[in-house]
Amino acid sequence: MRKRSLLWLTTLVLVLSMFLAACGGKDKTSTNSKDNDNKGSGQEATGPQDGGTLTYAMEAEFKGILNWNFYGDQSDAEILSLFDEGLIKYDKNLKAEPNIASWKTDDNKVFTFTFKKGVKWQNGEELKVQDWQFALETIATIGPDSPRWTNVNTIEGAQDFHDKKTDHIAGFKVIDDYTAQVTFDKARVNNLDNLWTYPLSRKEFEGIDPSKMEESDQVRLHPVGLGPFKVTKVIPGESVELTRFDDYWQGKPHIDKIIVKVIDGSLTVGELQNGGVDMTAFHPTLLPEIEKLDTVNVEKVPGTSYYYVGFKLGHFDGKKNVMDKPKYQDKRLRQAMLYAINRDEWVKAFFSGLGTPLNTPVPSSHWIAADNKDLPNDYKFDPEKAKQLLDEAGYKDVDGDGFREDPNGKKFVVNFAHYATGNPTYEARAKALTQYWEAVGLKTKLTMTDVNLYYDELEKDDPSIEVFYGGWGVGADPDQTALWGSKAVWNYPRWVNEKSDQLLNDATDIDVVGTDQDKEKQIYLEWQKLFNEEVPVIPIMELQDAWAISKRVQNVTLDVSGYNSPNEWWIKQ
């Protein structure tokens, strides 16, 4: 079972300080190389031992939406990865593989899925295809307000179901309890990768209004999943206790219990040193101190996440994005703010060099990533170029106070928002960005907002959010529609561009690209060129993921897709 914990987003996910996402693999580096080989972190020839408790730490407080069908936060995704899993998994090349279900298709439009028999939910019920149907219909009922709608609305009849024209999704046909046929509205290259493949327990949720499921005890306090550990106790925002699920379909796990706890980032090094924490992804600023510890292995793997600075260009009207906010519509202003940032310096200062500047929203580890030489702009640090663009756009210092007014001669202030946690480096790195902008004459005001409130304000297009700091993880599916399409709720800048939509549509259209991956990549290259020129967000950097794992914890493997199944981990007694 390979999982994405800053899943890809998934997750989601805006806070990537620990990164979002993760499943397993074997190619990695470690500062403690003598304890790190192809068997995984600390693997010894004596073989697995049963028993013990593993303490897993997170820096960011979790929201507590502990169900894949509703979550939107990376910290929640990290917890979910320990006790629930989907029908398919991904290898280290981000290619889909069967997990609980296998599939076949002749035309990329009609797929037949076959479930393994005997897979149990942690409430004792057997998983059946009707649980998957229930998940898809739940998401379709919610519709565009669900971030997963784009993973469901391509199924034939999903829109009619949402519009209450039918009582079922026509494109989902139950053959028997273990077989289902899914028909999409048209053949696409990425229909499988885009499809939502996380079931929802009917026993737990039947009778609950889908719009209220996210707030239910079944999500917040007593979640059930299909994974190797089951949730036995939740202290909201603080900790989650998971115990071994003996009826797990891949066999009884070795570890008795996993405790997930939220800790202040300043305590991470001490907790690792004294054994209070066994495993954690950590912020790169801690790398020099953690590398000195002789109690842990440090694992570094290529990441699929990136940070950016976004511009609120409009709002989401419930069905689509509307680009109606004028302040940052001139792309020369946005380009100037990118040229003004010394990204190499910033990455070195705040991420211990565990990152690289990038010029598109596609990390270099992904197979569709564009080479900088193929892009219109490289955006190397160039404050003079920034000033030139601002002059051309009409942003000039009219009153002689050292800061530029807008083209109408009115005071101009960059209102920059960043989320706040217990990590003091967040405010420092945010202030550094404001200083870069002020150095080219753009007066800037920084607002640090509690991380949970920050997400709500960002998603609801709160007027106080104008320029914002965020991050995303890129998953196996190269399609960018769910993040940057004109109708995507997760398109937080509310960027609307007809050419972008057409390119993204063409890249997944069988009639355009067939099964030729080179053609597909070429279209994504054209899309990245457009994004690079329009800069609806400022790509800051791609992040390399770093983990600290106690030497007593054995057989944890990591790669670009994340970590291996917790079912395979064990503790040296």
Side-chain angles (χ1 to χ4, degrees):
M1 174 184 68
R2 295 291 184 188
K3 285 260 177 245
R4 277 232 32 112
S5 97
L6 300 191
L7 216 247
W8 16 50
L9 118 21
T10 115
T11 201
L12 144 333
V13 231
L14 287 177
V15 176
L16 298 170
S17 61
M18 302 230 232
F19 183 41
L20 313 129
C23 310
K26 298 179 181 177
D27 298 328
K28 56 190 176 291
T29 59
S30 171
T31 54
N32 296 295
S33 59
K34 64 184 180 182
D35 292 305
N36 182 40
D37 56 27
N38 287 338
K39 296 178 181 177
S41 180
Q43 175 73 56
E44 293 187 350
T46 55
Q49 296 175 320
D50 291 342
T53 297
L54 182 149
T55 302
Y56 183 109
M58 301 188 301
E59 178 184 338
E61 179 179 331
F62 60 94
K63 277 190 172 184
I65 305 176
L66 301 179
N67 188 289
W68 286 121
N69 292 275
F70 310 108
Y71 92 104
D73 177 79
Q74 172 49 30
S75 296
D76 287 346
E78 288 192 61
I79 298 169
L80 279 162
S81 293
L82 298 172
F83 77 87
D84 200 6
E85 57 191 78
L87 303 178
I88 65 177
K89 60 184 179 180
Y90 291 87
D91 65 17
K92 64 182 181 181
N93 297 312
L94 300 181
K95 297 298 183 182
E97 294 181 331
N99 189 40
I100 294 173
S102 58
W103 61 89
K104 61 181 180 180
T105 181
D106 295 324
D107 58 6
N108 266 40
K109 181 178 180 181
V110 180
F111 287 72
T112 300
F113 289 85
T114 303
F115 281 30
K116 292 180 182 295
K117 295 180 179 180
V119 177
K120 289 186 178 181
W121 290 100
Q122 291 151 1
N123 60 13
E125 291 288 301
E126 185 181 9
L127 171 70
K128 296 181 179 179
V129 297
Q130 290 89 342
D131 292 312
W132 187 24
Q133 180 183 37
F134 183 56
L136 297 175
E137 291 185 349
T138 295
I139 294 168
T141 299
I142 299 170
D145 288 336
S146 168
R148 278 89 206 175
W149 174 235
T150 57
N151 305 113
V152 174
N153 66 1
T154 55
I155 301 174
E156 192 174 85
Q159 185 66 56
D160 285 345
F161 178 83
H162 172 70
D163 294 337
K164 295 182 170 60
K165 294 179 180 179
T166 60
D167 61 1
H168 66 285
I169 297 176
F172 191 97
K173 183 179 180 181
V174 176
I175 307 300
D176 57 42
D177 287 346
Y178 307 101
T179 313
Q181 184 182 85
V182 178
T183 302
F184 293 90
D185 54 4
K186 69 175 186 178
R188 295 182 185 83
V189 175
N190 70 326
N191 272 337
L192 176 64
D193 284 335
N194 182 67
L195 179 62
W196 188 250
T197 54
Y198 288 88
L200 188 64
S201 170
R202 290 168 296 155
K203 180 179 179 181
E204 296 296 315
F205 288 95
E206 268 188 338
I208 301 177
D209 184 332
S211 67
K212 298 179 180 179
M213 288 181 181
E214 182 178 313
E215 300 302 323
S216 68
D217 285 352
Q218 289 90 330
V219 169
R220 300 283 183 161
L221 297 176
H222 308 295
V224 301
L226 298 164
F229 292 87
K230 58 184 179 181
V231 175
T232 50
K233 184 178 182 181
V234 177
I235 300 178
E238 295 183 15
S239 66
V240 177
E241 179 183 280
L242 305 103
T243 56
R244 186 183 67 207
F245 180 45
D246 290 350
D247 291 329
Y248 177 54
W249 67 277
Q250 293 195 89
K252 186 176 73 173
H254 300 295
I255 296 174
D256 288 335
K257 185 181 294 186
I258 296 178
I259 303 294
V260 180
K261 66 179 183 180
V262 178
I263 65 172
D264 189 299
S266 64
L267 302 178
T268 299
V269 176
E271 287 280 85
L272 286 168
Q273 186 171 27
N274 64 28
V277 167
D278 293 306
M279 181 174 176
T280 184
F282 60 87
H283 195 273
T285 53
L286 299 177
L287 178 63
E289 293 181 80
I290 292 177
E291 285 182 322
K292 296 176 183 177
L293 302 179
D294 59 7
T295 56
V296 301
N297 293 317
V298 174
E299 310 285 357
K300 293 179 282 187
V301 295
T304 57
S305 61
Y306 61 92
Y307 287 110
Y308 68 86
V309 171
F311 303 93
K312 277 292 184 182
L313 304 173
H315 74 283
F316 186 73
D317 70 1
K319 293 185 177 180
K320 65 183 183 305
N321 293 298
V322 181
M323 208 162 72
D324 58 355
K325 295 185 178 182
K327 187 169 181 178
Y328 293 95
Q329 294 290 341
D330 192 327
K331 72 178 181 182
R332 292 172 295 182
L333 171 60
R334 304 194 298 266
Q335 289 175 333
M337 292 176 67
L338 177 45
Y339 276 116
I341 302 171
N342 188 334
R343 293 180 294 171
D344 287 311
E345 176 183 72
W346 188 84
V347 170
K348 183 177 181 180
F350 297 105
F351 291 87
S352 301
L354 285 177
T356 307
L358 79 168
N359 293 313
T360 79
V362 180
S364 60
S365 60
H366 205 287
W367 66 270
I368 68 164
D371 192 295
N372 281 336
K373 66 180 177 57
D374 296 323
L375 298 172
N377 309 289
D378 194 10
Y379 292 115
K380 290 187 181 295
F381 176 52
D382 191 343
E384 295 307 312
K385 176 71 171 179
K387 293 175 184 178
Q388 177 187 338
L389 285 167
L390 291 169
D391 288 343
E392 292 174 1
Y395 293 85
K396 298 179 179 180
D397 182 7
V398 176
D399 58 13
D401 67 349
F403 295 106
R404 298 170 184 266
E405 277 67 45
D406 70 14
N408 296 316
K410 297 181 179 180
K411 290 287 186 183
F412 183 84
V413 177
V414 176
N415 292 304
F416 179 46
H418 193 296
Y419 48 81
T421 68
N423 191 325
T425 67
Y426 288 6
E427 185 169 4
R429 74 188 186 195
K431 285 182 176 178
L433 293 174
T434 70
Q435 291 166 1
Y436 289 129
W437 294 325
E438 293 204 337
V440 296
L442 295 174
K443 182 69 175 177
T444 304
K445 178 183 177 182
L446 172 64
T447 300
M448 299 294 296
T449 303
D450 176 76
V451 63
N452 291 318
L453 177 60
Y454 181 85
Y455 294 148
D456 291 337
E457 291 180 347
L458 188 60
E459 293 168 2
K460 295 175 181 177
D461 301 317
D462 189 288
S464 66
I465 303 284
E466 293 183 1
V467 180
F468 59 94
Y469 185 91
W472 281 119
V474 177
D477 183 2
D479 185 17
Q480 301 289 307
T481 304
L483 296 184
W484 304 112
S486 295
K487 296 182 180 179
V489 67
W490 275 352
N491 177 351
Y492 289 139
R494 309 309 179 198
W495 181 48
V496 178
N497 187 286
E498 185 176 347
K499 184 177 180 182
S500 170
D501 288 341
Q502 186 61 56
L503 287 168
L504 293 178
N505 183 68
D506 287 348
T508 61
D509 192 333
I510 286 285
D511 293 335
V512 176
V513 299
T515 57
D516 188 334
Q517 198 169 84
D518 289 338
K519 287 184 179 179
E520 185 182 359
K521 182 173 182 177
Q522 184 59 40
I523 293 175
Y524 282 122
L525 174 58
E526 293 303 314
W527 180 81
Q528 289 171 84
K529 289 179 179 178
L530 174 67
F531 196 101
N532 173 266
E533 177 65 23
E534 294 296 320
V535 284
V537 305
I538 295 174
I540 299 291
M541 59 165 282
E542 58 180 318
L543 186 63
Q544 187 177 19
D545 298 338
W547 293 76
I549 303 171
S550 169
K551 289 183 177 180
R552 77 188 193 101
V553 178
Q554 309 293 302
N555 203 37
V556 178
T557 60
L558 294 132
D559 64 17
V560 68
S561 65
Y563 53 67
N564 61 324
S565 172
N567 182 57
E568 300 171 358
W569 306 348
W570 58 277
I571 294 174
K572 187 165 53 177
Q573 304 298 312

